Amino acid sequence: MGKRKVGALEKVDADLPNLQHKIKRDATSYKEDFLKQFYQYESHREIFLRAPTSATDVGIISLRDLIDFISHVADFYPNITAGFPEDLMRILTLHHMELESELREKIVGSLVLLRKKEALDSSALLYTLFPILTTTPSKSLRTLLFQKIMSELRSSNSKTTNHRLNRAIQTVLYNLLTSDRTSPKGIWAVKLTRELWKRQIWTDSKAVEIMKEASLADNEKVVVGGVRFFLGGDKEREEVDDESSDEEGGIDLGKLKHQSGVNKKTKKKSRAMEKAVATKERKKKQPHALNFSALHLLHDPQGFAETLFSKYLQNAKSKLNLEQKLLVLQLVSRLVGLHKLTVISLYSYFIKYLTPRQPSVTSFLASLAQSIHSLVPPDVLEPLVQKIANEFVSEAAASQVASAGLNAIREICVRQPLAMNDTLLQDLVMYRKSKDKGVMMAAKGLLSLYREVGAELLRKRDRGKTAVMGLRSGERKELRFGKEEAGEIEGLELLEAWKEEERRRLREEKGLPAKLGEDDGKPEEEEEEDWGAWDAEDDESDDSGGWIDVESDMDIEISDDENDKPAVKKAKLDDQNPVIQNEGEEAPKLDVEGKNKSAYATTRILTPADLAKLQELRMRAGVNKLLGTKKKRRQDQENRHVDDPLTATEIEGLAGLSDRKNKEERIALAAAGKTDRADHKSTQAIRHEKKILEGKSTTNKEKARKKNFMMTLGKAKGKQKKSLVERGRVLKGHVQRQKRGGKRGNVGR
């Protein structure tokens, strides 16, 4: 029997992709064919809805193909397919349990495609997919729905932030967590919010409130997810931001310019070069986003910390295990230390865990240290410091234990130096003579700390030269509880010192005295540069008509005796002028607290030139700090806990130095730092392989060295036959080429 001939209409019926292609080319001519397929889809849909569980395989395949076909061409016939998205959403919502897996995935994909064609609203799509995500038992469907929801939210916020959609979804997630706190469905709210926070799509306080409610849930998985967000969400966001910036800024302009100079010049390559330059410039001009930490966006950190502590740590009926409780404790400690909260019962909670036999004891010590700030009463901390010293720091304790204990005490005293008494401090400082390197370094760190903040607690021989001189001159005053230093502009003293140095240099160039009052010392050139010299100090003269400073009664002695000489006015103390002292008069005491504080911000208006120079000086100071300068080391240690968490690794510190390794362990440690070599190779060969792996080419000298000898023989013979005139001509041409930058003339590019 011969093969049956298929008619043209049957070909159209059987080949939906072909019909789809033809409709995209000419939708009007194939409207009847589309209507026929649409009516066929409606009949298959009605048959399926009558008995979803007993549908045949042929009917499911036909329905799946028709759904795919109509979703691709629905935008060409909007009137006919107006109810098509609602039909798909109704089928998916009501029968997602009974649907065949491929048909279910096809419906989800078709809905997303209709959303891209703007045949469906974004909020309607998300309202349909999210309830299925939280209820379906299918793992593959949950993965698919989560990906589609994430991609839809990212695309909706790609160009501009869609505040209306974000608020709607955030309300749904918030209600999901607060409606039933024992339900495990809240984990999807945690996953969505954390991923959107990491991608910097949600950066507002509403997202933080969602994770706050998750941290206060009654389900263990939801609680741990919320707590981990506050402990590591900002770090994840920074890592993703660094990766994206590396990908976007990965255009090497120098490499492109080199290639354009070496390779053949074409219009296509020149356009690519111009596009790369424009992209690089556009990235430079983009404003830097202000991404606040989640811990800073909390509405009520005091109430949040107290609720976490009382619900999960103090409550004996809490279902959290030790590891989960430790995570909650780290979050409470960070909240207390960052916002300087007052939770007195937190410190007594640590007492039972401060023993070397406690599992994860270094994490407990780190949590204790970062929960301390300058407003914690020293009476509360003294028992904790004494307990750590008794349990960890003793002659019978192991060297690693003693090193960790000393580091923990030091971290506590960095934040609250008043927690230490002189007897205990002098005892702990004696461990700097220990033979173990870890213990010795930890004790020296504690000693150097108190030489800066509380030298009066040390013995005279341990105070050091700088501390002794500071105590004698009165520059260092005794610390007082609750005393806070006034804040100022970061790096302003650097700008003031630079201005004074420039002013002194200009006066020396003009032949004027280097030291002069500030009112007369600013040159005219600097006045013109700084926006007409907005200097508030000029208003201090009596002719300005403003306020006039009057000497206080304590500075002027009034006497009825006419023979008395007029009272001598005490010299005004200035940071830049030396102290003037009259004969027979005691030297005035320096106001140490106000001596180092700059009055630059209150007496001047910073111009754009000043701000630019201030930024440059800050960067220079940061570089100096990275290079190992010792300035402001104590301030960096005190401010480290403000945003950066204190980890167990920092508490362990140099405890690894106390662990004496045997010969096999030392050999293994040394071999771990070397590359895996199958055979012995020279250093040059290793560098050459590394170059090849990095995609770098060889130099011209290396290429010439590998050239065949017979190819170089003719050139060598030609050089020998050159006359003196030819040699001079070649040398002259070589010098000229070098001046213009080689054969291609690359000078000035």
Side-chain angles (χ1 to χ4, degrees):
M1 183 176 177
K3 187 175 180 181
R4 189 177 70 87
K5 293 183 179 181
V6 181
L9 186 60
E10 292 178 347
K11 282 184 178 179
V12 171
D13 294 341
D15 193 3
L16 289 177
N18 188 23
L19 179 58
Q20 174 184 331
H21 175 66
K22 291 178 179 180
I23 288 174
K24 289 182 178 180
R25 295 181 63 185
D26 189 3
T28 307
S29 302
Y30 291 92
K31 185 176 181 180
E32 295 297 330
D33 298 327
F34 174 78
L35 284 173
K36 183 178 179 181
Q37 299 299 327
F38 189 76
Y39 295 149
Q40 191 174 358
Y41 151 74
E42 288 183 338
S43 63
H44 278 287
R45 184 195 64 198
E46 293 299 329
I47 293 171
F48 175 79
L49 290 177
R50 288 177 184 174
T53 56
S54 60
T56 61
D57 295 340
V58 178
I60 291 175
I61 294 173
S62 300
L63 180 60
R64 186 178 66 207
D65 294 340
L66 287 169
I67 288 174
D68 186 32
F69 165 71
I70 295 172
S71 61
H72 277 87
V73 296
D75 53 332
F76 294 100
Y77 309 103
N79 296 328
I80 301 174
T81 60
F84 179 67
E86 284 77 7
D87 294 339
L88 294 182
M89 288 189 292
R90 184 167 62 252
I91 293 173
L92 187 63
T93 304
L94 297 177
H95 305 288
H96 64 88
M97 297 282 191
E98 299 88 8
L99 284 175
E100 191 259 342
S101 59
E102 293 184 4
L103 177 59
R104 190 169 53 193
E105 293 177 2
K106 182 62 68 177
I107 292 175
V108 174
S110 299
L111 286 172
V112 175
L113 181 60
L114 290 171
R115 169 68 192 100
K116 291 181 179 178
K117 294 179 178 292
E118 297 183 356
L120 180 63
D121 187 35
S122 180
S123 58
L125 174 63
L126 294 175
Y127 282 145
T128 303
L129 298 183
F130 187 73
I132 301 173
L133 174 66
T134 58
T135 55
T136 180
S138 174
K139 186 176 180 180
S140 60
L141 181 59
R142 289 198 301 265
T143 305
L144 176 65
L145 292 176
F146 184 79
Q147 293 175 353
K148 298 300 181 184
I149 291 172
M150 278 298 305
S151 62
E152 176 59 29
L153 286 169
R154 291 182 67 180
S155 61
S156 299
N157 293 274
S158 59
K159 295 181 179 179
T160 57
T161 304
N162 193 339
H163 295 286
R164 184 177 180 182
L165 179 64
N166 292 341
R167 283 196 299 268
I169 301 302
Q170 286 170 352
T171 303
V172 171
L173 299 181
Y174 187 86
N175 293 335
L176 177 66
L177 288 167
T178 55
S179 59
D180 186 6
R181 294 188 177 274
T182 59
S183 174
K185 295 180 181 179
I187 194 66
W188 291 108
V190 173
K191 288 182 177 180
L192 275 173
T193 307
R194 185 166 186 172
E195 189 68 22
L196 292 168
W197 180 271
K198 183 170 69 174
R199 302 293 176 184
Q200 298 189 21
I201 300 171
W202 287 357
T203 57
D204 55 350
S205 59
K206 185 70 173 178
V208 178
E209 288 298 317
I210 292 173
M211 301 307 287
K212 176 182 174 182
E213 293 298 328
S215 302
L216 298 176
D218 294 332
N219 185 275
E220 291 81 2
K221 290 184 177 180
V222 180
V223 172
V224 172
V227 171
R228 287 186 185 276
F229 167 77
F230 286 105
L231 292 177
D234 298 322
K235 186 177 181 181
E236 292 178 354
R237 183 173 63 176
E238 291 175 0
E239 291 175 355
V240 172
D241 190 18
D242 293 340
E243 292 176 2
S244 61
S245 62
D246 291 341
E247 293 174 0
E248 293 172 356
I251 303 172
D252 191 356
L253 292 180
K255 185 178 181 180
L256 289 177
K257 288 180 180 179
H258 176 70
Q259 290 177 352
S260 63
V262 173
N263 299 337
K264 184 179 178 181
K265 280 76 173 173
T266 60
K267 290 184 178 180
K268 182 179 179 181
K269 290 180 180 179
S270 62
R271 285 196 298 267
M273 181 68 184
E274 292 173 0
K275 185 179 179 180
V277 173
T279 304
K280 196 81 172 178
E281 294 297 327
R282 188 171 63 251
K283 295 296 181 185
K284 284 183 180 179
K285 293 179 181 179
Q286 282 184 350
H288 182 69
L290 295 175
N291 295 325
F292 291 99
S293 172
L295 296 173
H296 288 92
L297 293 176
L298 282 169
H299 177 62
D300 182 17
Q302 177 74 36
F304 182 42
E306 290 178 352
T307 307
L308 282 174
F309 181 65
S310 61
K311 186 173 183 178
Y312 301 120
L313 300 179
Q314 281 187 324
N315 188 9
K317 297 181 180 180
S318 177
K319 298 180 181 179
L320 302 181
N321 55 31
L322 180 63
E323 183 180 357
Q324 295 169 345
K325 284 185 177 181
L326 187 56
L327 289 174
V328 177
L329 182 62
Q330 289 174 357
L331 176 57
V332 174
S333 301
R334 286 203 65 188
L335 286 170
V336 172
L338 180 63
H339 296 280
K340 294 190 176 181
L341 308 179
T342 303
V343 186
I344 299 300
S345 56
L346 172 65
Y347 304 103
S348 59
Y349 176 80
F350 281 101
I351 290 289
K352 59 182 178 181
Y353 296 105
L354 299 180
T355 173
R357 294 176 296 277
Q358 171 66 39
S360 305
V361 65
T362 52
S363 299
F364 282 100
L365 291 173
S367 301
L368 171 61
Q370 70 181 357
S371 67
I372 294 170
H373 51 85
S374 58
L375 300 181
V376 179
D379 298 340
V380 178
L381 300 179
E382 283 183 5
L384 293 171
V385 176
Q386 191 68 45
K387 178 73 179 296
I388 295 173
N390 294 338
E391 293 285 343
F392 290 83
V393 189
S394 65
E395 296 293 340
S399 56
Q400 297 93 338
V401 175
S403 175
L406 286 170
N407 283 330
I409 292 174
R410 181 181 174 279
E411 293 294 338
I412 292 172
C413 295
V414 163
R415 293 157 175 80
Q416 180 54 281
L418 297 175
M420 179 69 69
N421 57 66
D422 53 352
T423 306
L424 180 60
L425 177 61
Q426 293 168 9
D427 184 25
L428 295 177
V429 164
M430 294 297 293
Y431 283 91
R432 73 185 188 278
K433 299 180 181 178
S434 173
K435 295 181 179 180
D436 186 83
K437 192 171 183 179
V439 178
M440 180 262 293
M441 294 294 290
K444 282 187 175 180
L446 184 63
L447 174 62
S448 62
L449 169 67
Y450 271 93
R451 281 179 175 176
E452 294 288 337
V453 300
E456 63 275 0
L457 298 178
L458 296 168
R459 294 190 183 95
K460 290 185 179 181
R461 63 183 181 184
D462 296 333
R463 292 176 182 177
K465 180 180 178 182
T466 308
V468 170
M469 293 177 64
L471 290 173
R472 287 179 180 176
S473 62
E475 292 182 1
R476 298 192 180 185
K477 289 190 175 182
E478 185 179 357
L479 294 175
R480 295 182 180 180
F481 172 67
K483 188 176 183 180
E484 294 288 334
E485 294 183 358
E488 57 182 10
I489 301 175
E490 181 184 357
L492 191 62
E493 67 279 358
L494 300 174
L495 178 63
E496 187 175 2
W498 179 81
K499 286 271 188 181
E500 180 63 26
E501 186 65 27
E502 287 294 312
R503 188 180 296 115
R504 186 181 294 108
R505 182 180 62 81
L506 290 173
R507 292 189 63 83
E508 288 177 354
E509 289 178 358
K510 292 182 178 181
L512 298 174
K515 294 184 179 181
L516 195 63
E518 190 174 350
D519 296 337
D520 302 327
K522 189 163 185 177
E524 296 179 359
E525 292 82 352
E526 191 179 352
E527 296 277 351
E528 294 176 358
E529 289 177 0
D530 291 350
W531 273 12
W534 291 351
D535 194 349
E537 294 178 354
D538 295 340
D539 296 337
E540 294 180 359
S541 63
D542 297 341
D543 299 334
S544 61
W547 292 95
I548 300 174
D549 293 335
V550 180
E551 301 288 345
S552 63
D553 294 338
M554 296 178 64
D555 294 338
I556 302 175
E557 297 180 2
I558 301 175
S559 176
D560 296 334
D561 192 356
E562 296 179 356
N563 296 327
D564 289 346
K565 296 181 180 180
V568 180
K569 296 182 180 179
K570 293 183 180 180
K572 185 178 179 181
L573 190 63
D574 196 352
D575 294 343
Q576 298 175 355
N577 297 333
V579 177
I580 302 173
Q581 182 176 347
N582 295 322
E583 296 180 0
E585 187 173 286
E586 295 182 0
K589 294 183 179 180
L590 298 177
D591 186 5
V592 180
E593 298 175 1
K595 181 178 180 181
N596 296 326
K597 292 182 180 178
S598 174
Y600 207 73
T602 58
T603 57
R604 295 180 62 86
I605 297 176
L606 298 181
T607 64
D610 292 338
L611 295 175
K613 190 64 183 179
L614 179 60
Q615 182 66 20
E616 179 187 345
L617 293 172
R618 284 177 186 168
M619 292 179 63
R620 192 181 303 169
V623 171
N624 292 336
K625 187 174 82 171
L626 291 175
L627 291 175
T629 55
K630 297 182 180 180
K631 293 181 179 180
K632 294 191 175 180
R633 183 175 296 175
R634 183 173 62 86
Q635 288 84 346
D636 296 337
Q637 293 170 350
E638 290 176 351
N639 297 331
R640 183 179 58 185
H641 76 290
V642 174
D643 287 323
D644 299 332
L646 185 65
T647 60
T649 307
E650 296 176 10
I651 291 295
E652 293 171 4
L654 300 174
L657 298 175
S658 304
D659 187 12
R660 295 185 178 180
K661 301 178 177 61
N662 54 26
K663 185 176 180 180
E664 290 77 10
E665 292 177 349
R666 290 197 301 270
I667 293 174
L669 185 63
K674 298 180 180 180
T675 56
D676 188 13
R677 303 179 190 175
D679 51 350
H680 178 73
K681 294 180 181 179
S682 65
T683 308
Q684 293 251 348
I686 295 171
R687 289 176 182 172
H688 181 66
E689 287 184 357
K690 188 177 180 182
K691 267 189 175 183
I692 294 175
L693 292 175
E694 293 176 354
K696 297 179 179 178
S697 178
T698 55
T699 62
N700 291 334
K701 287 185 178 180
E702 291 176 351
K703 291 174 182 174
R705 194 180 298 119
K706 292 183 179 180
K707 203 169 186 179
N708 191 358
F709 175 73
M710 297 303 295
M711 297 174 67
T712 61
L713 192 60
K715 188 176 182 181
K717 287 181 178 179
K719 285 184 177 180
Q720 292 177 359
K721 294 178 181 179
K722 283 182 181 179
S723 64
L724 188 60
V725 177
E726 290 177 345
R727 290 175 185 272
R729 188 183 301 116
V730 171
L731 182 59
K732 187 177 180 180
H734 172 72
V735 173
Q736 290 176 353
R737 281 196 303 273
Q738 292 297 323
K739 286 182 179 179
R740 68 172 183 263
K743 291 181 179 181
R744 301 182 186 89
N746 294 323
V747 174
R749 288 192 176 186

